[in-house]
Amino acid sequence: MMFNVNVHVLQIKDMMALLVMARTLPLRQHFLSYLDEWFLQSLKACAGKPPSSSHLRTSTVCFSSCSSLGPRGACAAERDSVFLAARSSRPYQELLPSGTALSLLHYLPSDEDRAFMKRLASCTSSQQVLRLLRSHPYLSGATAASILHRLADLEHHSTHDLSDALLSDAGLNKLCQTLEHDSAGLQDEVLVRALLGCTRLYLDPHSSLVLKLVSESRKRLNLERLGVETLCGLSRALFALEGPNSGVLKQAMSQIQSKDTGQWNMAELVAAYSMLSTGLGEDDCYQELLNKMNARARQLAPLMGPSMISEILAALLKSRHNKALPLVIALCKQAVHHVKNFADEELTVVLSALMHYGHNDHFLVVALERHVPKVAFTAHPETVTKVMQFFRRWRILSPPVFNTVAESFLYRAEEYSTCQVSQQIAALGALGYLPPDAGRLFQKVESVLHARFSQFHPRALLDLLYACTLLQRYPLNFVSKVFSPYFMQQLQDIEIKLDEEGYVLPASHRDQVYKRIALCIDGSKRFAANSDKLLGKESIKQRHLRILGYEVVQIPYSEFETLKNKKEAVEYLHKKIFPHSYRLSW
């Protein structure tokens, strides 16, 4: 019986069409196994017969990718049955040395992909991510890269260093092996995202995986076809791996600068801002590019949602870009419309950026006064604290906000860090405002001080006690602890110890100290804005130092900044600190 190749080619097409229509992974596996059995039967039918044609034809079958980057073509080769039988029976997977099938070229249906990503986002520890990885042997490139980034997120928020147990995990190693093996088949965006994930996990820059991903990225870069977001991600990865002098990094940045920023969308802008905030934009290296980005961002600001606003402000805040005030103002105007829609972290970033750039908006204050009382009992502690800092920064007395925050403090004080406790009370003190239930509030503050006194940073503790004093709630129970030599040494303000003959003693020396000199180096922020009068808080500090027996020597910025060279500085300090001793010899 003669074997008709053309008939079987048509049947192959039908089977492939059915395979494409299969929506679930088990169903696809069923069709693949059926194809294997079908090919074996065909071979038996034509045993001993020469192939009728050795011609190879290629068609493209489009599978649904699990990423949001759209469908991607997978090449299905039409060959005669003898040639097919000589190949692996799993055309979409590669077997790792361990024997576990795991390929990034296996495309999951979109619903399975969304379910996996949802489970991945819900993981709260690296071990949960690794267990999820072991339970899903079939992954796409996009999900594999997402696993690396989720692990990096969780490890960066951890109080411990990146654990060896994580990097030696068998499941993660298999994932890395597969990324390395399938790197040439990854989409541009997935390839770069995987490389960036490796840098965030601090994988060895000379490991075979990182080297392979860098090599493949360089090939794609040379083709000059990468989009803005991909180029930004690649630049971040190269900067982390090779530093600012990397030739490939400069090549990538050159391509970014050649793009028309006037046509960039919001996602491309965020990617570029995030890239520059990692350190690439220091020393105004790419100031011209940044200026163009700022101009484009101002155009798009009226269309931005809360996430986009906070991401751009976070990048500006991190990079300390001081020429972005017009953009900050535009983003602030748009933020007014989204106050109730901001997530806690996003609102924290917005307020931090506005305080850094020195900008305030009346309508934003009104929106905060409406929103904060509704969420004060449930919002993240840092968000509540940042709101209080914001009102303190602009000297805005807001009873609706202050009353609600003070009331919530009674119920959730244990959730706040010592720094957050200090900042909230300091805001009340700065505005001189006592909430209605002030008695219970300060009882709670005192209980926190008793329970966690040793945990307070010295400056945070001083701010808290000073605020209590301003509100006429004098912290008498803690005065003896604060005005002790040990506490003053913790403040580091600078102490010089002398023996009876006037010789300087080591800083650690405690016995036979004849004289203690407290050196107060006072910058411009310690004086009134329009005169050389020291602020009241600084005057109190120096007065207390004298009470404790210190000889206070003040170094005001107005005198020190006029010195022209090192010799003048040394002579000035010698005259200030040791006015009665012999002059230095040169």
Side-chain angles (χ1 to χ4, degrees), residues 495-548:
E495 182 184 25
I496 301 175
K497 301 175 182 178
L498 305 178
D499 64 11
E500 192 170 1
E501 297 181 2
Y503 290 101
V504 178
L505 297 171
S508 59
H509 199 87
R510 295 188 178 182
D511 300 327
Q512 299 178 341
V513 177
Y514 180 75
K515 180 186 289 187
R516 297 176 184 272
I517 299 176
L519 198 62
C520 295
I521 302 175
D522 295 325
S524 59
K525 292 184 178 180
R526 297 185 178 184
F527 295 86
N530 58 345
S531 74
D532 59 356
K533 180 175 175 56
L534 202 63
L535 295 178
K537 179 180 177 180
E538 303 301 328
S539 296
I540 289 177
K541 178 183 67 178
Q542 294 187 14
R543 187 159 62 247
H544 287 161
L545 285 170
R546 291 189 182 95
I547 292 173
L548 290 170

Coordinates of all heavy atoms in Angstrom, one line a residue, residues 495-548:
E495 N 32.2 66.2 70.4 CA 32.7 66.4 71.7 C 34.3 66.3 71.7 O 34.8 65.3 71.1 CB 32.1 65.4 72.7 CG 32.6 65.6 74.1 CD 32.1 64.6 75.1 OE1 31.8 63.5 74.6 OE2 32.1 64.8 76.3
I496 N 34.9 67.2 72.3 CA 36.4 67.2 72.5 C 36.7 67.1 74.0 O 36.2 68.0 74.8 CB 37.1 68.4 71.9 CG1 36.7 68.5 70.4 CG2 38.6 68.4 72.1 CD1 37.2 69.7 69.7
K497 N 37.5 66.1 74.4 CA 37.8 65.9 75.8 C 39.3 66.3 76.1 O 40.2 65.9 75.3 CB 37.6 64.5 76.2 CG 36.2 64.0 76.0 CD 36.0 62.5 76.3 CE 34.6 62.0 76.0 NZ 34.5 60.5 76.3
L498 N 39.5 67.1 77.1 CA 40.8 67.6 77.5 C 41.2 67.1 78.9 O 40.3 67.0 79.8 CB 40.9 69.1 77.4 CG 40.5 69.8 76.1 CD1 40.6 71.3 76.3 CD2 41.3 69.3 75.0
D499 N 42.5 66.8 79.1 CA 43.0 66.5 80.4 C 43.3 67.8 81.1 O 43.2 68.9 80.6 CB 44.1 65.5 80.4 CG 45.4 66.0 79.7 OD1 45.4 67.2 79.5 OD2 46.3 65.3 79.5
E500 N 43.9 67.7 82.4 CA 44.1 68.9 83.2 C 45.2 69.8 82.6 O 45.2 71.0 82.8 CB 44.6 68.5 84.6 CG 44.6 69.6 85.6 CD 44.8 69.1 87.0 OE1 44.9 67.9 87.2 OE2 44.8 70.0 87.9
E501 N 46.1 69.2 81.8 CA 47.1 70.0 81.1 C 46.7 70.5 79.8 O 47.5 71.2 79.1 CB 48.4 69.2 81.0 CG 49.0 68.7 82.3 CD 50.2 67.9 82.2 OE1 50.7 67.7 81.0 OE2 50.8 67.4 83.2
G502 N 45.5 70.2 79.3 CA 45.0 70.8 78.1 C 45.2 69.9 76.9 O 45.0 70.3 75.7
Y503 N 45.7 68.6 77.1 CA 45.9 67.7 76.0 C 44.6 67.0 75.6 O 43.7 66.7 76.5 CB 46.9 66.7 76.3 CG 48.3 67.2 76.4 CD1 48.9 67.5 77.6 CD2 49.1 67.5 75.2 CE1 50.2 68.0 77.7 CE2 50.3 68.0 75.3 CZ 50.9 68.3 76.6 OH 52.2 68.8 76.6
V504 N 44.4 66.8 74.3 CA 43.2 66.2 73.9 C 43.2 64.7 74.2 O 44.2 64.0 73.9 CB 43.0 66.4 72.3 CG1 41.7 65.6 71.8 CG2 42.9 67.9 72.0
L505 N 42.1 64.2 74.7 CA 42.0 62.7 75.1 C 41.2 62.0 74.0 O 40.4 62.6 73.2 CB 41.3 62.6 76.4 CG 42.0 63.2 77.6 CD1 41.0 63.2 78.8 CD2 43.3 62.5 77.9
P506 N 41.4 60.7 73.9 CA 40.7 59.9 72.9 C 39.2 60.0 73.2 O 38.8 60.2 74.3 CB 41.2 58.5 73.1 CG 42.5 58.6 73.7 CD 42.4 59.9 74.6
A507 N 38.4 59.9 72.1 CA 36.9 60.0 72.3 C 36.3 59.0 73.2 O 35.3 59.2 73.9 CB 36.3 59.9 70.9
S508 N 37.0 57.8 73.3 CA 36.5 56.7 74.1 C 36.9 56.9 75.6 O 36.4 56.1 76.5 CB 37.0 55.4 73.6 OG 38.4 55.3 73.6
H509 N 37.7 57.9 75.9 CA 38.3 58.1 77.2 C 37.2 58.7 78.1 O 36.5 59.6 77.7 CB 39.5 59.0 77.2 CG 40.3 58.9 78.4 ND1 41.4 58.0 78.5 CD2 40.3 59.6 79.6 CE1 42.0 58.1 79.7 NE2 41.3 59.1 80.3
R510 N 37.0 58.1 79.3 CA 35.9 58.5 80.2 C 36.4 59.0 81.6 O 35.8 59.8 82.2 CB 34.9 57.4 80.4 CG 34.1 57.0 79.2 CD 33.0 56.1 79.5 NE 32.3 55.7 78.3 CZ 31.2 54.9 78.2 NH1 30.8 54.4 79.4 NH2 30.6 54.6 77.1
D511 N 37.6 58.6 81.9 CA 38.2 58.9 83.3 C 39.1 60.1 83.2 O 39.7 60.4 82.1 CB 38.9 57.7 83.9 CG 38.0 56.5 84.1 OD1 36.8 56.8 84.3 OD2 38.5 55.4 83.9
Q512 N 39.2 60.9 84.2 CA 40.1 62.0 84.4 C 40.0 63.0 83.2 O 40.9 63.6 82.7 CB 41.6 61.5 84.4 CG 41.9 60.6 85.6 CD 43.3 60.0 85.5 OE1 44.0 60.1 84.5 NE2 43.7 59.6 86.7
V513 N 38.7 63.3 82.9 CA 38.4 64.3 81.9 C 38.3 65.6 82.6 O 37.4 65.8 83.5 CB 37.1 64.0 81.1 CG1 36.8 65.1 80.1 CG2 37.3 62.6 80.4
Y514 N 39.2 66.6 82.3 CA 39.2 67.9 83.0 C 38.2 68.9 82.3 O 37.5 69.7 83.0 CB 40.6 68.5 83.0 CG 40.7 69.8 83.7 CD1 40.7 69.9 85.1 CD2 40.8 71.0 82.9 CE1 40.8 71.1 85.7 CE2 40.9 72.2 83.6 CZ 40.9 72.2 85.0 OH 41.0 73.5 85.6
K515 N 38.1 68.9 81.0 CA 37.2 69.8 80.3 C 36.6 69.1 79.1 O 37.2 68.3 78.4 CB 38.0 71.0 79.8 CG 37.1 72.0 79.1 CD 38.0 73.1 78.4 CE 38.5 74.1 79.5 NZ 39.2 75.2 78.9
R516 N 35.3 69.4 78.9 CA 34.5 68.9 77.7 C 34.1 70.1 76.9 O 33.5 71.0 77.4 CB 33.3 68.1 78.2 CG 33.6 66.9 79.0 CD 32.3 66.2 79.5 NE 32.6 65.1 80.4 CZ 32.8 63.8 79.9 NH1 32.7 63.6 78.6 NH2 33.0 62.8 80.8
I517 N 34.5 70.0 75.6 CA 34.1 71.0 74.7 C 33.1 70.5 73.7 O 33.3 69.4 73.0 CB 35.4 71.6 73.9 CG1 36.4 72.2 74.9 CG2 34.9 72.6 72.8 CD1 37.6 72.6 74.2
A518 N 31.9 71.1 73.6 CA 30.9 70.7 72.6 C 31.0 71.6 71.4 O 30.8 72.9 71.5 CB 29.5 70.8 73.2
L519 N 31.3 71.0 70.3 CA 31.5 71.8 69.0 C 30.2 71.8 68.3 O 29.7 70.8 67.8 CB 32.6 71.2 68.2 CG 33.2 72.1 67.1 CD1 33.9 73.3 67.7 CD2 34.2 71.3 66.3
C520 N 29.5 73.0 68.1 CA 28.3 73.1 67.4 C 28.5 73.7 66.0 O 28.8 74.9 65.9 CB 27.3 74.0 68.2 SG 26.8 73.3 69.8
I521 N 28.4 72.8 65.0 CA 28.6 73.3 63.7 C 27.2 73.6 63.1 O 26.4 72.7 62.8 CB 29.3 72.2 62.8 CG1 30.6 71.9 63.4 CG2 29.5 72.7 61.4 CD1 31.4 70.8 62.8
D522 N 26.9 74.9 63.0 CA 25.5 75.3 62.7 C 25.4 75.8 61.3 O 26.0 76.8 60.9 CB 25.1 76.5 63.7 CG 25.1 76.0 65.1 OD1 24.7 74.9 65.3 OD2 25.4 76.8 66.0
G523 N 24.6 75.0 60.5 CA 24.3 75.4 59.1 C 23.3 76.5 59.0 O 22.7 76.9 60.1
S524 N 22.9 76.8 57.8 CA 22.0 78.0 57.6 C 20.6 77.7 58.1 O 19.9 78.6 58.5 CB 21.9 78.3 56.1 OG 21.5 77.1 55.4
K525 N 20.2 76.4 58.2 CA 18.8 76.1 58.6 C 18.6 76.2 60.1 O 17.5 76.1 60.6 CB 18.5 74.6 58.1 CG 18.4 74.5 56.6 CD 17.9 73.1 56.2 CE 17.8 73.0 54.7 NZ 17.3 71.6 54.3
R526 N 19.7 76.5 60.8 CA 19.6 76.6 62.3 C 19.4 78.1 62.6 O 19.4 78.4 63.8 CB 20.8 76.1 63.0 CG 20.9 74.5 62.8 CD 22.1 74.0 63.6 NE 22.2 72.5 63.4 CZ 23.0 71.7 64.1 NH1 23.9 72.3 64.9 NH2 23.0 70.4 63.9
F527 N 19.4 79.0 61.6 CA 19.3 80.4 61.9 C 18.0 80.9 61.2 O 17.4 80.3 60.3 CB 20.5 81.2 61.3 CG 21.8 80.9 62.0 CD1 22.6 79.8 61.6 CD2 22.2 81.6 63.0 CE1 23.7 79.5 62.2 CE2 23.4 81.4 63.7 CZ 24.2 80.3 63.2
A528 N 17.5 82.1 61.6 CA 16.4 82.7 61.0 C 16.8 83.0 59.5 O 17.9 83.2 59.2 CB 16.1 84.1 61.7
A529 N 15.7 83.0 58.7 CA 16.0 83.1 57.2 C 16.6 84.4 56.8 O 17.3 84.6 55.9 CB 14.7 82.8 56.5
N530 N 16.2 85.5 57.6 CA 16.6 86.9 57.2 C 17.6 87.5 58.2 O 17.8 88.7 58.2 CB 15.4 87.7 57.0 CG 14.6 87.8 58.3 OD1 14.7 87.0 59.2 ND2 13.6 88.8 58.3
S531 N 18.2 86.7 59.1 CA 19.2 87.3 60.0 C 20.1 86.2 60.5 O 19.9 85.0 60.2 CB 18.5 88.0 61.2 OG 17.9 87.0 62.1
D532 N 21.1 86.6 61.3 CA 22.0 85.6 61.9 C 21.6 85.2 63.3 O 22.4 84.7 64.1 CB 23.4 86.2 61.9 CG 23.5 87.4 62.7 OD1 22.5 87.9 63.2 OD2 24.6 88.0 62.9
K533 N 20.3 85.3 63.6 CA 19.8 84.9 65.0 C 19.6 83.4 65.0 O 18.8 82.9 64.1 CB 18.6 85.7 65.3 CG 18.0 85.3 66.7 CD 16.8 86.2 67.0 CE 16.2 85.8 68.4 NZ 17.2 85.7 69.5
L534 N 20.1 82.7 66.0 CA 20.0 81.3 66.1 C 18.5 81.0 66.5 O 17.9 81.7 67.3 CB 20.9 80.8 67.2 CG 21.3 79.3 67.1 CD1 22.0 78.9 65.8 CD2 22.1 78.9 68.3
L535 N 17.9 79.9 65.9 CA 16.6 79.6 66.2 C 16.4 79.1 67.7 O 17.4 78.7 68.3 CB 16.1 78.4 65.3 CG 16.0 78.8 63.8 CD1 15.6 77.6 63.0 CD2 15.0 79.9 63.6
G536 N 15.2 79.2 68.2 CA 15.0 78.9 69.6 C 15.4 77.5 70.0 O 16.0 77.3 71.1
K537 N 15.1 76.6 69.1 CA 15.4 75.2 69.4 C 16.9 75.0 69.6 O 17.4 74.2 70.5 CB 14.9 74.3 68.3 CG 15.2 72.8 68.4 CD 14.6 72.0 67.2 CE 15.0 70.6 67.3 NZ 14.4 69.8 66.2
E538 N 17.7 75.6 68.7 CA 19.2 75.5 68.8 C 19.7 76.2 70.0 O 20.7 75.8 70.6 CB 19.8 76.0 67.5 CG 19.3 75.4 66.2 CD 19.6 73.9 66.2 OE1 20.6 73.5 66.8 OE2 18.7 73.1 65.6
S539 N 19.1 77.3 70.4 CA 19.6 78.0 71.6 C 19.4 77.2 72.8 O 20.2 77.2 73.7 CB 18.8 79.4 71.7 OG 19.1 80.2 70.6
I540 N 18.2 76.5 72.9 CA 17.9 75.7 74.0 C 19.0 74.5 74.1 O 19.4 74.2 75.2 CB 16.5 75.1 73.9 CG1 15.4 76.2 74.1 CG2 16.3 73.9 74.9 CD1 14.0 75.7 73.9
K541 N 19.3 74.0 73.0 CA 20.3 72.9 72.9 C 21.6 73.3 73.5 O 22.2 72.7 74.4 CB 20.5 72.4 71.5 CG 21.5 71.3 71.4 CD 21.7 70.9 69.9 CE 22.3 72.0 69.1 NZ 22.6 71.7 67.7
Q542 N 22.1 74.5 73.1 CA 23.4 75.0 73.6 C 23.3 75.4 75.1 O 24.2 75.1 75.8 CB 23.8 76.2 72.7 CG 24.1 75.8 71.3 CD 24.7 77.0 70.5 OE1 25.2 78.0 71.1 NE2 24.8 76.9 69.2
R543 N 22.1 75.9 75.5 CA 22.0 76.2 76.9 C 22.0 75.0 77.8 O 22.7 74.9 78.8 CB 20.7 77.0 77.1 CG 20.5 77.5 78.5 CD 19.5 78.6 78.6 NE 18.1 78.2 78.1 CZ 17.5 78.6 77.0 NH1 18.2 79.5 76.2 NH2 16.3 78.2 76.7
H544 N 21.4 73.9 77.3 CA 21.4 72.6 78.1 C 22.8 72.0 78.1 O 23.2 71.4 79.1 CB 20.4 71.6 77.4 CG 19.0 72.0 77.7 ND1 18.0 71.5 76.9 CD2 18.4 72.8 78.6 CE1 16.8 72.0 77.4 NE2 17.1 72.8 78.4
L545 N 23.6 72.2 77.0 CA 24.9 71.7 77.0 C 25.8 72.4 78.1 O 26.6 71.8 78.8 CB 25.6 71.9 75.6 CG 25.1 70.9 74.5 CD1 25.6 71.3 73.2 CD2 25.6 69.5 74.8
R546 N 25.6 73.7 78.2 CA 26.3 74.5 79.2 C 25.9 74.0 80.6 O 26.8 73.9 81.5 CB 26.1 76.0 79.0 CG 26.7 76.5 77.8 CD 26.6 78.0 77.7 NE 27.2 78.6 76.5 CZ 26.5 78.8 75.4 NH1 25.1 78.7 75.4 NH2 27.0 79.3 74.3
I547 N 24.6 73.8 80.8 CA 24.2 73.3 82.1 C 24.8 72.0 82.5 O 25.2 71.7 83.7 CB 22.6 73.1 82.1 CG1 22.0 74.5 82.0 CG2 22.1 72.4 83.4 CD1 20.5 74.4 81.8
L548 N 25.1 71.1 81.5 CA 25.7 69.8 81.7 C 27.2 70.0 81.9 O 27.9 69.0 82.2 CB 25.4 68.9 80.6 CG 24.0 68.4 80.5 CD1 23.8 67.7 79.1 CD2 23.6 67.5 81.6

